[in-house]
């Protein structure tokens, strides 16, 4: 749990008055991170497969979601992990991607490891082979993924539950070593 907290706190804020300052977690954010990443089953895998978080507007939900995406991308210990960013539309999913990309640009160690392809909205870790990708909202094109983590933004805006079902119940069945996919919904 402390390893995850330390990873988040090595990231930097990407805009506003805190630009380029360390992303120091508030106590309630630390508790969430510790619970999600530090609560384990007897076999060492994470207890929580799904995480649902509601955070009011302008309270750092995109930063917290981007931090989770980057933790899974760079620090989760999984080779060739597949991390996806989902929302009701691709434009909304790009918000968390942009924060994650900007965080990487501000941390030299991550920048050195990352291969960012803005045109495709993907970030790859050159060391682990893991990748973070923003997806469109069409559920019918998402079958067959081996999801390591799914950052699902604005869940309440989904027109139906099709994308949620595909990204949570059907994806990631082969990814049991670390605990399966984590989907985080951060409605405003």
């Amino acid at each position: 749990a402390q390893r995850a907290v330390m990873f988040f706190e090595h990231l930097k804020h990407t805009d506003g008055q805190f630009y380029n300052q360390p992303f120091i977690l508030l106590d309630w954010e630390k508790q969430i991170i510790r619970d999600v990443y530090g609560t384990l089953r007897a076999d060492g895998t994470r207890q929580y497969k799904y995480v649902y978080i509601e955070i009011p507007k302008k309270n750092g939900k995109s930063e917290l979601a981007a931090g989770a995406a980057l933790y899974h991308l760079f620090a989760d210990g999984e080779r060739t992990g597949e991390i996806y960013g989902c929302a009701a539309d691709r434009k909304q999913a790009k918000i968390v991607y942009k924060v994650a990309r900007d965080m990487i640009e501000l941390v030299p160690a991550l920048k050195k490891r990352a291969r960012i392809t803005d045109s495709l909205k993907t970030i790859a870790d050159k060391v682990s082979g893991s990748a973070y990708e923003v997806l469109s909202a069409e559920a019918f094109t998402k079958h067959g993924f081996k999801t390591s983590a799914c950052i699902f933004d604005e869940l309440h805006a989904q027109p139906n539950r099709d994308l949620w079902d595909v990204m949570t119940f059907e994806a990631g069945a082969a990814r049991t070593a670390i605990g399966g996919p984590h989907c985080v919904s951060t409605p405003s």
Side-chain angles (χ1 to χ4, degrees):
Q2 189 58 29
R3 181 174 185 268
V5 168
M6 288 171 48
F7 178 87
F8 274 76
E9 292 190 341
H10 278 92
L11 300 172
K12 305 277 182 104
H13 286 281
T14 61
D15 64 8
Q17 67 182 8
F18 299 110
Y19 176 79
N20 203 24
Q21 292 183 28
F23 183 37
I24 304 301
L25 297 170
L26 299 173
D27 287 342
W28 64 268
E29 292 170 316
K30 283 182 187 176
Q31 188 62 52
I32 290 170
I33 300 307
R34 286 185 179 123
D35 287 348
V36 171
Y37 295 102
T39 307
L40 305 177
R41 297 183 195 122
D43 66 0
T45 59
R46 292 192 190 109
Q47 178 175 333
Y48 302 116
K49 189 172 183 178
Y50 305 103
V51 178
Y52 179 84
I53 303 168
E54 288 194 34
I55 301 173
K57 282 186 175 195
K58 305 299 175 197
N59 279 285
K61 71 180 182 71
S62 296
E63 288 77 9
L64 198 60
L70 293 177
Y71 182 81
H72 285 277
L73 181 61
F74 292 108
D76 204 29
E78 183 169 7
R79 302 275 314 152
T80 66
E82 296 179 19
I83 300 92
Y84 297 104
C86 297
D89 60 45
R90 191 170 162 95
K91 184 177 179 180
Q92 180 67 37
K94 287 191 294 189
I95 293 171
V96 173
Y97 165 84
K98 182 186 178 308
V99 174
R101 180 202 64 203
D102 293 350
M103 284 177 163
I104 290 169
E105 292 294 328
L106 295 172
V107 179
L110 295 183
K111 188 174 181 179
K112 184 177 178 179
R113 286 179 60 168
R115 185 174 50 254
I116 299 170
T117 309
D118 261 339
S119 61
L120 299 174
K121 302 299 179 259
T122 62
I123 304 169
D125 177 10
K126 294 184 251 183
V127 174
S128 71
S130 295
Y132 170 55
E133 178 181 353
V134 172
L135 298 178
S136 65
E138 297 83 27
F140 65 89
T141 63
K142 308 305 181 283
H143 297 274
F145 288 177
K146 295 182 292 184
T147 306
S148 302
C150 176
I151 309 301
F152 213 115
D153 196 14
E154 304 283 349
L155 182 62
H156 70 281
Q158 288 295 306
N160 56 50
R161 61 177 296 134
D162 294 349
L163 184 59
W164 171 261
D165 287 346
V166 168
M167 294 308 296
T168 58
F169 300 121
E170 296 179 20
R175 302 271 187 195
T176 58
I178 296 177
H182 290 271
C183 291
V184 179
S185 175
T186 54
S188 56

